[in-house]
Amino acid sequence: MSRILRRPADDSLAIRAAWLHFGAGLTQAEVAERLGVSSVKAHRLVARASQTGAVKVIIEGDVTECLQLEDQLSERFGLTRCEVVPDLFESGLPLRALGMAGAAFMRREIETMQGGGVIGLGHGRTLAAAISSMPKVDGGQVRFVSLLGGLTRNFLANPHDVMHRLAENTGAAAYVLPVPFFANSVADRDVLLAQRGVNDVFQMALNADLMFVGIGIAQPEAQLVASRMIDIEEIREVQAGGGVGEMLGHFFDRDGLPIETSLSARTVSPGIDLLKNRRIVALAGGESKVRGIRSVLKSGLLAGLITDEKTASALLETDSF
C-alpha cells in the first residue's frame, strides 16, 4: 500500500524550501531562484515550514516527490525501509543532505535500542558525514562495533576515527577491529581473527542488530584505493571480473552477483553468506555511485536504503550500464 500522503502543493514546497534554507544554508533569495518562485513567496514558504513545527534542530516532514521515489525504490528492490532526502543542489557527493539524514536515522535507532542493542558500522565518507552531523545523544545500553578491519597501508586514513567520535557523542561503548581491512593472505586472515580480543569483537559484529553501511565503487578513484586499503592493481582485477559496486569489502557485478577475486577470501568483514537475511541499511548517493548502488541493491542483501532525490531518480531509470 502506498505511503504517500496527499497534501496541498504549498505544504510540500514549504518543506523543500526549509531543506534548502536551513539544510543547505541558502539565503531566501537563493531559495526563490532554486524553486522558481518570487522572493516574497520564498519567505512565506520558509515561514510556513517554521510555523507548522517542521523546522527544529533537524528538518522533519516529507516532500511528496521523495515519498513517491521511496515507494518505487522499495517495490523494485524489495526494501523494507527507504528514505529519500531532497536535493540540496550539491556538487559531487551529496554529503550535507545524506549526513543530515544519516544522523537523524542513527538518532532514532539509538533511541529505539537504548535498553540494549548492537549497531555495526561500515566505512566511507558518507557514514563519516552522518556521524559528524549527529548531536550528542544518550546512547543508553547501545553498543557500537566496526563491521570490518580498518588499518590502512599508510596509516593516514583511519575509519576508526568515526567510531571514536560516535562514542564521544553518545557515551556508549564502541569496539573496533584493530586489523587490516584486507589480510595479506587467507592464512593471515585466519590468524588475525583467531586472536582472542579480535575474535570477540568480530563475533559481536556478526550478530549486530543493525548493520549501517556505505556503498563504494569498483573504480580507480574509489575511496578504498585513495586510502590505500587496496592497490590499483587489485581494483583493476575487480573491474576485469565485472565488479561494479562494493559493500563491506565485497564486490558485486551489474546483476548483483558477488565477484570472486584474490581479495575475496582475504576480506576482514562478515562473509556474504553471513550477511543474508540481516538488517542492513545503506547510506549512499551521488552520480558517481549510481551504478554501484544499483548493483548492491540487486544483490538482495539490503533491507534499507537512505539516499538523495537525484540518485533515487537515477536508480529508477532503465538498468542500462
Side-chain angles (χ1 to χ4, degrees), residues 73 76-79 215 244-245 247 252-258 290-303 305 314-321:
L73 284 171
R76 178 170 298 188
F77 296 107
L79 302 174
I215 292 177
V244 175
M247 181 183 74
F252 303 87
D253 67 13
R254 57 177 292 172
D255 296 316
L257 298 176
V290 171
R291 296 176 67 221
I293 296 170
R294 187 186 285 129
S295 74
V296 176
L297 282 168
K298 285 188 171 183
S299 74
L301 294 174
L302 292 184
L305 173 69
L315 288 170
L316 290 167
E317 292 176 357
T318 305
D319 289 357
S320 60
F321 282 79

Side-chain angles (χ1 to χ4, degrees), residues 114-135:
Q114 277 194 337
V118 177
I119 298 177
L121 273 295
H123 66 100
R125 288 170 289 176
T126 311
L127 281 181
I131 303 308
S132 295
S133 298
M134 276 186 62

Side-chain angles (χ1 to χ4, degrees), residues 53-266:
V55 179
K56 301 177 183 177
V57 176
I58 60 173
I59 300 173
E60 295 184 344
D62 299 309
V63 175
T64 301
E65 297 87 345
C66 291
L67 286 174
Q68 292 171 334
L69 290 169
E70 291 170 8
D71 284 338
Q72 292 170 37
L73 284 171
S74 295
E75 182 177 356
R76 178 170 298 188
F77 296 107
L79 302 174
T80 58
R81 178 190 183 87
C82 184
E83 182 177 344
V84 175
V85 297
D87 180 18
L88 298 186
F89 302 95
E90 300 174 76
S91 59
L93 293 180
L95 293 179
R96 183 189 290 267
L98 292 182
M100 292 173 63
F105 172 75
M106 281 291 290
R107 178 179 57 82
R108 293 192 298 269
E109 291 295 322
I110 291 168
E111 291 172 348
T112 299
M113 292 187 191
Q114 277 194 337
V118 177
I119 298 177
L121 273 295
H123 66 100
R125 288 170 289 176
T126 311
L127 281 181
I131 303 308
S132 295
S133 298
M134 276 186 62
K136 289 190 178 295
V137 58
D138 182 6
Q141 300 302 309
V142 173
R143 291 175 293 166
F144 301 99
V145 62
S146 293
L147 293 173
L148 39 81
L151 299 183
T152 62
R153 291 173 183 174
N154 63 0
F155 301 98
L156 293 178
N158 191 346
H160 293 168
D161 291 341
V162 172
M163 297 297 290
H164 295 318
R165 192 177 305 118
L166 189 56
E168 290 176 354
N169 284 349
T170 64
Y175 302 84
V176 299
L177 281 168
V179 295
F181 192 175
F182 296 98
N184 290 330
S185 67
V186 177
D188 283 350
R189 180 184 187 275
D190 293 339
V191 170
L192 289 170
L193 291 180
Q195 304 305 304
R196 183 179 302 171
V198 174
N199 185 261
D200 290 345
V201 174
F202 194 64
Q203 291 302 314
M204 186 189 304
L206 292 178
N207 294 293
D209 300 292
L210 165 68
M211 295 182 176
F212 196 32
V213 304
I215 292 177
I217 57 176
Q219 297 291 330
E221 63 269 24
Q223 186 66 13
L224 286 178
V225 179
S227 64
R228 296 191 63 189
M229 287 186 175
I230 62 177
D231 291 330
I232 189 70
E233 292 79 11
E234 291 170 322
I235 201 67
R236 284 174 177 158
E237 180 190 356
V238 171
Q239 285 184 298
V244 175
E246 174 267 329
M247 181 183 74
L248 295 178
H250 302 294
F251 292 89
F252 303 87
D253 67 13
R254 57 177 292 172
D255 296 316
L257 298 176
I259 297 295
E260 291 295 328
T261 70
S262 61
L263 289 172
S264 303
R266 298 191 284 112

